Amino acid sequence: MRLSRARLALLIGLAGALLLVAVIVSPMLLISIPSFITDGSTSVDCADTTQVEEVSESGTSDIPAEYLDLYQEYGKKIGVQWNILAAVGKRETDHGRSSLPGVKSGTNSAGAAGPMQFLISTWGGKARIPMSSQFNGYASDGDGDGVADVYNPADAILGAAKMLKRNGAPENVRDALFVYNRAWWYVDQVEEIARKYAKSGDVKVPPQASEECDDPLVEAAPSDVVAKILQYALAQRGKPYLWGGTGPDSFDCSGVIYAAYRSAGLLIPRTTFGQWPFGAKILDGEEQPGDLVFFNAGPGTSAASPGHVGLVVAKGKMLEARCRLCGPIKVTSYQARGNRVGFTRPMQNPDVLDQLKKLQNSSL
């Protein structure tokens, strides 16, 4: 039902939300908050993310059963095409069967190791990493033994799934594969293998969980601290925008980010104007979950002093509290925004690095 301007103004007054905003009155002002927010529960039904691609005869005959189970399990868990994972494993090491250097021990001449051929520097700096330690990379513990072992198929395949997810899969899987190995001929080869492994002979985007189901995004976080930041921020979806709000019931754009970092034990500036110079500048295309993306939006702002900020939660996606009439806090795309200024990484600010050290020492 379309509300008249007079009635809308009365409703705004009764709600105590008279803000001086130069916008056209919209009939979509009154936003209903989902029950999972208002009743204190965050439990929702998630979409079935079972892979849509059945295995071809070529796939079942070529892929070892143990590896096939892992490709399918982590493809489903992280939200990427299982046959793309399998094709990477085939192209790199013939599913771990290759006898070349670096597959089962050591590294090859490029410094890559394991069945998915991670560069040791990309994995986390060494081949075997206790998951209780701090590291930057894709090191993962797929078999639950507490160690991220680049030579362990479960660990390596989970790490590869995270890497592909973080760089654009499943929607932009070619871009994600290019990051994995920077050659378009490699991308073409992997896609050709993936098609042979699928019964349909195609590479399809699997059905993704609804936006309330955050496990894939949190699983793909570059660290446990960033995972906590994402977990808190994503839980605020559906709550209303309030200028100056820092929760728990409403937030503005910088307020929800400030609160998310605080939930992980980290203190960053409260406002957009303070957050912009705070983090290390990150090149477009190198952003990762936990980074901030800024826009030249709002009165008195400029490219050198952006007025709007979002939290990167995945490649091309951000969580944002945009404005009072823009609807509730949600996950949106930042790639199509023409007024994007740039990205920053608060985790690389010296103050935050000191805070991270204190958090690590306190947990010992």
Side-chain angles (χ1 to χ4, degrees):
M1 180 181 72
R2 189 177 183 86
L3 300 176
S4 68
R5 294 191 179 188
R7 187 177 180 189
L8 184 56
L10 177 60
L11 290 172
I12 296 173
L14 291 174
L18 286 172
L19 299 177
L20 299 177
V21 182
V23 294
I24 298 174
V25 175
S26 166
M28 298 301 292
L29 177 66
L30 299 181
I31 304 296
S32 61
I33 299 176
S35 61
F36 75 89
I37 293 295
T38 56
D39 67 8
S41 170
T42 56
S43 175
V44 294
D45 291 330
C46 298
D48 181 8
T49 58
T50 302
Q51 70 281 349
V52 295
E53 295 285 9
E54 294 184 29
V55 188
S56 66
E57 291 184 7
S58 173
T60 54
S61 63
D62 185 51
I63 306 171
E66 174 196 2
Y67 275 73
L68 179 58
D69 288 345
L70 293 170
Y71 294 137
Q72 292 182 322
E73 177 183 354
Y74 293 124
K76 175 181 177 180
K77 181 176 182 179
I78 302 302
V80 302
Q81 295 94 332
W82 75 265
N83 54 326
I84 287 288
L85 275 176
V88 170
K90 174 66 175 181
R91 176 61 183 76
E92 295 291 349
T93 67
D94 192 21
H95 309 299
R97 292 177 294 211
S98 172
S99 59
L100 291 173
V103 178
K104 297 179 175 62
S105 64
T107 64
N108 65 13
S109 60
M116 303 303 279
Q117 288 292 277
F118 272 96
L119 292 173
I120 292 298
S121 58
T122 304
W123 183 253
K126 53 185 179 180
R128 295 179 176 87
I129 302 174
M131 295 306 291
S132 58
S133 63
Q134 294 291 326
F135 61 90
N136 290 316
Y138 294 97
S140 304
D141 179 17
D143 61 358
D145 66 354
V147 177
D149 185 347
V150 74
Y151 304 108
N152 181 301
D155 297 357
I157 293 170
L158 175 56
K162 290 180 180 180
M163 186 174 185
L164 292 171
K165 179 72 173 182
R166 202 175 299 167
N167 288 291
E171 296 88 354
N172 300 315
V173 71
R174 286 183 61 82
D175 291 341
L177 286 169
F178 185 79
V179 174
Y180 202 97
N181 190 334
R182 293 182 178 276
W184 288 113
W185 56 261
Y186 174 87
V187 175
D188 293 338
Q189 287 182 6
V190 169
E191 283 201 317
E192 182 180 358
I193 297 169
R195 292 188 187 97
K196 291 179 180 178
Y197 282 164
K199 192 172 184 179
S200 68
D202 201 0
V203 177
K204 296 182 179 179
V205 176
Q208 299 298 292
S210 60
E211 69 174 12
E212 289 85 4
C213 303
D214 304 326
D215 286 349
L217 293 175
V218 175
E219 285 281 351
S223 70
D224 289 343
V225 173
V226 173
K228 290 179 181 178
I229 292 169
L230 296 187
Q231 206 162 27
Y232 180 92
L234 291 165
Q236 310 316 308
R237 276 195 311 261
K239 294 184 179 180
Y241 174 94
L242 176 66
W243 185 81
T246 54
D249 299 320
S250 54
F251 300 84
D252 66 8
C253 64
S254 57
V256 68
I257 295 170
Y258 170 81
Y261 268 78
R262 189 176 58 186
S263 73
L266 301 176
L267 185 64
I268 65 172
R270 160 65 185 88
T271 68
T272 305
F273 298 117
Q275 290 172 1
W276 169 243
F278 183 78
K281 298 298 186 290
I282 301 299
L283 293 176
D284 192 346
E286 295 184 3
E287 71 277 8
Q288 64 184 29
D291 292 345
L292 309 187
V293 53
F294 292 84
F295 303 87
N296 181 12
T301 69
S302 66
S305 184
H308 181 58
V309 62
L311 175 70
V312 177
V313 297
K315 203 67 155 184
K317 298 179 181 180
M318 65 177 173
L319 179 127
E320 67 169 338
R322 190 170 184 181
C323 74
R324 184 171 58 89
L325 298 182
C326 300
I329 297 170
K330 66 188 75 173
V331 172
T332 62
S333 170
Y334 58 74
Q335 291 180 322
R337 300 278 183 90
N339 59 347
R340 192 170 77 236
V341 171
F343 301 90
T344 71
R345 186 165 296 161
M347 304 293 281
Q348 289 185 355
N349 179 279
D351 289 344
V352 173
L353 291 173
D354 287 342
Q355 294 174 50
L356 287 169
K357 287 181 181 178
K358 291 178 182 177
L359 287 174
Q360 184 177 5
N361 291 336
S362 65
S363 64
L364 296 177

